[in-house]
Amino acid sequence: MIQRYPAILSYSIPNKIIPKLDWLQQRLSLTDDELSNLMRRFPPLFSYSVDVNIEPTMNFFIDALGDEDEALALLIRVPNLFSYSLEKRLKPRLKEAMDVGMVIDTACLSRIGTYTESQWQKGREFQVKELAKQRDAKSDASAAN
């Protein structure tokens, strides 16, 4: 972990590391092993502010999914979702997804965060076409009846 994230050496153990680990473990309901795995997979969490970064990001995913357990499970599975800007990436892309009628589920939210701009635009265009096909098929079926 130190090789991947050497900045951790400059953090105060009693003032920064332990309080953050305690908060994450309690908030995410993690065992010691699960917490260790999470921090090994995404050490930049050590540098994020709970009040400014971590909690607002959690709340975004909880609100978007409407299911706290599902949102927290997503963040544990894909912890780098904490690294994306709420204002510049997550919120605008969620609005785009909702505006075109995408189903907002964990797969969609994962793509909202992790896709590059090009991947996101291509995926959004594909979804728009698929949704249009579904609407056309429904209207054709209704017209046939």
Side-chain angles (χ1 to χ4, degrees):
M1 183 183 315
I2 292 171
Q3 287 180 331
R4 286 183 49 216
Y5 199 69
I8 196 170
L9 293 173
S10 67
Y11 298 155
S12 165
I13 292 172
N15 296 328
K16 187 164 187 160
I17 293 177
I18 291 175
K20 187 162 299 160
L21 291 174
D22 288 344
W23 188 91
L24 285 166
Q25 186 167 33
Q26 179 182 9
R27 185 65 181 92
L28 298 173
S29 301
L30 299 173
T31 66
D32 289 347
D33 287 343
E34 291 167 333
L35 179 63
S36 177
N37 187 38
L38 175 70
M39 299 313 289
R40 239 183 284 119
R41 287 180 30 239
F42 194 66
L45 267 178
F46 282 113
S47 68
Y48 294 175
S49 163
V50 168
D51 296 331
V52 175
N53 304 101
I54 298 172
E55 187 137 41
T57 300
M58 280 184 186
N59 290 334
F60 167 82
F61 285 98
I62 292 167
D63 292 344
L65 283 171
D67 183 319
E68 182 170 334
D69 292 339
E70 198 175 354
L72 297 180
L74 171 64
L75 290 166
I76 292 165
R77 255 190 341 273
V78 189
N80 62 319
L81 289 171
F82 284 108
S83 69
Y84 299 106
S85 169
L86 281 171
E87 301 305 322
K88 293 179 183 175
R89 176 174 267 186
L90 299 176
K91 288 180 181 179
R93 287 184 177 184
L94 177 61
K95 182 179 181 332
E96 286 178 19
M98 293 171 71
D99 287 349
V100 299
M102 287 182 182
V103 174
I104 307 302
D105 58 12
T106 58
C108 178
L109 288 174
S110 182
R111 290 189 302 271
I112 282 172
T114 60
Y115 274 19
T116 64
E117 189 61 29
S118 173
Q119 290 171 317
W120 173 249
Q121 292 307 322
K122 286 177 187 174
R124 191 175 59 83
E125 289 167 13
F126 175 78
Q127 287 292 322
V128 167
K129 289 176 188 174
E130 288 300 307
L131 291 167
K133 285 181 194 177
Q134 290 172 9
R135 280 191 295 271
D136 291 345
K138 284 181 183 176
S139 64
D140 290 347
S142 295
N145 292 331

Short mmCIF file of all heavy atoms in Angstrom, two decimals, residues 2 6 10 12 18 21 24-25 33 51 61 64 71-72 79 98 112 114 119 123-124 131-133 141:
data_model
loop_
_atom_site.label_atom_id
_atom_site.label_comp_id
_atom_site.label_asym_id
_atom_site.label_seq_id
_atom_site.Cartn_x
_atom_site.Cartn_y
_atom_site.Cartn_z
N ILE A 2 1.95 1.21 0.73
CA ILE A 2 2.83 2.39 0.81
C ILE A 2 3.46 2.68 -0.55
O ILE A 2 3.60 3.85 -0.93
CB ILE A 2 3.89 2.20 1.91
CG1 ILE A 2 3.18 2.22 3.28
CG2 ILE A 2 4.96 3.27 1.83
CD1 ILE A 2 4.05 1.86 4.43
N PRO A 6 2.27 6.51 -1.17
CA PRO A 6 3.26 6.89 -0.16
C PRO A 6 2.83 8.05 0.74
O PRO A 6 3.34 8.19 1.85
CB PRO A 6 4.50 7.25 -0.97
CG PRO A 6 4.03 7.47 -2.37
CD PRO A 6 2.78 6.69 -2.54
N SER A 10 2.64 10.35 5.78
CA SER A 10 2.60 11.67 6.40
C SER A 10 1.35 11.89 7.25
O SER A 10 1.22 12.92 7.90
CB SER A 10 2.67 12.75 5.32
OG SER A 10 1.50 12.73 4.52
N SER A 12 -1.32 11.50 10.30
CA SER A 12 -1.32 11.23 11.74
C SER A 12 -2.20 10.01 12.00
O SER A 12 -3.38 9.98 11.63
CB SER A 12 -1.87 12.44 12.49
OG SER A 12 -2.21 12.09 13.79
N ILE A 18 -6.94 6.52 12.18
CA ILE A 18 -7.84 5.73 13.03
C ILE A 18 -9.27 6.28 13.00
O ILE A 18 -10.22 5.50 12.82
CB ILE A 18 -7.28 5.59 14.46
CG1 ILE A 18 -6.04 4.70 14.42
CG2 ILE A 18 -8.33 5.02 15.41
CD1 ILE A 18 -5.30 4.56 15.73
N LEU A 21 -10.82 5.23 9.64
CA LEU A 21 -11.08 3.80 9.59
C LEU A 21 -12.28 3.43 10.46
O LEU A 21 -13.14 2.64 10.04
CB LEU A 21 -9.85 3.00 10.02
CG LEU A 21 -8.65 3.04 9.08
CD1 LEU A 21 -7.46 2.34 9.70
CD2 LEU A 21 -8.99 2.47 7.72
N LEU A 24 -15.49 4.68 8.63
CA LEU A 24 -15.81 3.84 7.47
C LEU A 24 -16.32 2.47 7.91
O LEU A 24 -17.30 1.96 7.37
CB LEU A 24 -14.58 3.67 6.57
CG LEU A 24 -14.22 4.85 5.70
CD1 LEU A 24 -12.81 4.68 5.14
CD2 LEU A 24 -15.23 5.05 4.59
N GLN A 25 -15.66 1.89 8.90
CA GLN A 25 -16.07 0.56 9.35
C GLN A 25 -17.49 0.59 9.91
O GLN A 25 -18.31 -0.27 9.59
CB GLN A 25 -15.10 0.03 10.40
CG GLN A 25 -15.39 -1.41 10.78
CD GLN A 25 -14.25 -2.02 11.58
OE1 GLN A 25 -13.56 -1.34 12.34
NE2 GLN A 25 -14.05 -3.30 11.41
N ASP A 33 -11.50 -7.43 8.24
CA ASP A 33 -10.95 -7.92 6.97
C ASP A 33 -11.53 -7.15 5.78
O ASP A 33 -10.80 -6.81 4.84
CB ASP A 33 -11.22 -9.41 6.79
CG ASP A 33 -10.36 -10.27 7.70
OD1 ASP A 33 -9.34 -9.76 8.22
OD2 ASP A 33 -10.71 -11.45 7.89
N ASP A 51 -16.49 14.60 5.71
CA ASP A 51 -17.55 15.60 5.55
C ASP A 51 -17.64 16.18 4.15
O ASP A 51 -18.74 16.46 3.67
CB ASP A 51 -17.36 16.75 6.55
CG ASP A 51 -17.49 16.29 7.99
OD1 ASP A 51 -18.22 15.32 8.24
OD2 ASP A 51 -16.84 16.90 8.87
N PHE A 61 -25.18 8.38 -3.94
CA PHE A 61 -25.52 7.03 -4.42
C PHE A 61 -26.75 6.47 -3.71
O PHE A 61 -27.58 5.80 -4.33
CB PHE A 61 -24.31 6.10 -4.30
CG PHE A 61 -23.28 6.36 -5.35
CD1 PHE A 61 -22.16 7.13 -5.09
CD2 PHE A 61 -23.43 5.85 -6.63
CE1 PHE A 61 -21.21 7.38 -6.07
CE2 PHE A 61 -22.49 6.10 -7.63
CZ PHE A 61 -21.38 6.87 -7.34
N ALA A 64 -29.69 8.29 -5.29
CA ALA A 64 -29.90 7.88 -6.68
C ALA A 64 -30.54 6.50 -6.77
O ALA A 64 -31.41 6.28 -7.61
CB ALA A 64 -28.57 7.90 -7.44
N ALA A 71 -26.61 0.82 -2.33
CA ALA A 71 -25.64 1.89 -2.62
C ALA A 71 -24.31 1.64 -1.91
O ALA A 71 -23.24 1.76 -2.52
CB ALA A 71 -26.21 3.24 -2.22
N LEU A 72 -24.38 1.27 -0.64
CA LEU A 72 -23.14 1.03 0.10
C LEU A 72 -22.42 -0.19 -0.44
O LEU A 72 -21.18 -0.20 -0.52
CB LEU A 72 -23.43 0.90 1.60
CG LEU A 72 -24.02 2.16 2.26
CD1 LEU A 72 -24.26 1.91 3.75
CD2 LEU A 72 -23.16 3.38 2.03
N PRO A 79 -14.79 1.06 -4.99
CA PRO A 79 -14.46 2.20 -4.13
C PRO A 79 -13.90 3.41 -4.86
O PRO A 79 -13.98 4.53 -4.34
CB PRO A 79 -13.44 1.62 -3.15
CG PRO A 79 -12.86 0.44 -3.83
CD PRO A 79 -13.96 -0.11 -4.70
N MET A 98 -31.23 10.23 -16.37
CA MET A 98 -32.65 10.33 -16.03
C MET A 98 -33.43 11.02 -17.15
O MET A 98 -34.55 10.61 -17.47
CB MET A 98 -32.81 11.07 -14.70
CG MET A 98 -32.27 10.27 -13.53
SD MET A 98 -32.20 11.19 -11.98
CE MET A 98 -33.92 11.31 -11.59
N ILE A 112 -21.78 5.70 -14.74
CA ILE A 112 -21.78 7.16 -14.57
C ILE A 112 -20.44 7.62 -14.00
O ILE A 112 -19.90 8.64 -14.42
CB ILE A 112 -22.95 7.59 -13.66
CG1 ILE A 112 -24.26 7.60 -14.46
CG2 ILE A 112 -22.71 8.95 -13.02
CD1 ILE A 112 -25.51 7.83 -13.63
N THR A 114 -17.41 5.62 -13.72
CA THR A 114 -16.15 5.07 -14.21
C THR A 114 -15.90 5.26 -15.70
O THR A 114 -14.76 5.18 -16.13
CB THR A 114 -16.04 3.57 -13.88
OG1 THR A 114 -17.12 2.86 -14.50
CG2 THR A 114 -16.08 3.33 -12.38
N GLN A 119 -16.78 7.12 -23.62
CA GLN A 119 -17.54 5.91 -23.31
C GLN A 119 -18.95 6.27 -22.83
O GLN A 119 -19.93 5.63 -23.21
CB GLN A 119 -16.84 5.07 -22.24
CG GLN A 119 -15.58 4.40 -22.69
CD GLN A 119 -14.85 3.77 -21.50
OE1 GLN A 119 -14.73 4.36 -20.43
NE2 GLN A 119 -14.36 2.55 -21.70
N GLY A 123 -22.35 5.21 -24.71
CA GLY A 123 -23.30 4.40 -23.96
C GLY A 123 -24.65 5.07 -23.84
O GLY A 123 -25.70 4.43 -23.97
N ARG A 124 -24.64 6.38 -23.62
CA ARG A 124 -25.89 7.14 -23.51
C ARG A 124 -26.63 7.13 -24.84
O ARG A 124 -27.84 6.90 -24.89
CB ARG A 124 -25.60 8.57 -23.06
CG ARG A 124 -26.86 9.35 -22.68
CD ARG A 124 -26.52 10.71 -22.13
NE ARG A 124 -25.77 11.52 -23.05
CZ ARG A 124 -26.33 12.25 -24.02
NH1 ARG A 124 -27.61 12.24 -24.20
NH2 ARG A 124 -25.57 12.97 -24.83
N LEU A 131 -34.03 2.60 -25.98
CA LEU A 131 -35.29 3.03 -25.38
C LEU A 131 -36.30 3.43 -26.46
O LEU A 131 -37.49 3.16 -26.33
CB LEU A 131 -35.04 4.18 -24.39
CG LEU A 131 -34.30 3.79 -23.12
CD1 LEU A 131 -33.82 5.02 -22.36
CD2 LEU A 131 -35.16 2.92 -22.22
N ALA A 132 -35.81 4.06 -27.53
CA ALA A 132 -36.70 4.44 -28.64
C ALA A 132 -37.26 3.19 -29.31
O ALA A 132 -38.45 3.13 -29.65
CB ALA A 132 -35.95 5.31 -29.63
N LYS A 133 -36.43 2.16 -29.50
CA LYS A 133 -36.90 0.91 -30.09
C LYS A 133 -37.98 0.28 -29.22
O LYS A 133 -38.99 -0.22 -29.72
CB LYS A 133 -35.73 -0.09 -30.25
CG LYS A 133 -34.80 0.21 -31.39
CD LYS A 133 -33.72 -0.88 -31.41
CE LYS A 133 -32.57 -0.50 -32.29
NZ LYS A 133 -31.50 -1.52 -32.24
N ALA A 141 -47.41 -2.56 -30.89
CA ALA A 141 -48.24 -3.59 -30.28
C ALA A 141 -49.60 -3.03 -29.88
O ALA A 141 -50.63 -3.67 -30.05
CB ALA A 141 -47.54 -4.20 -29.07
#
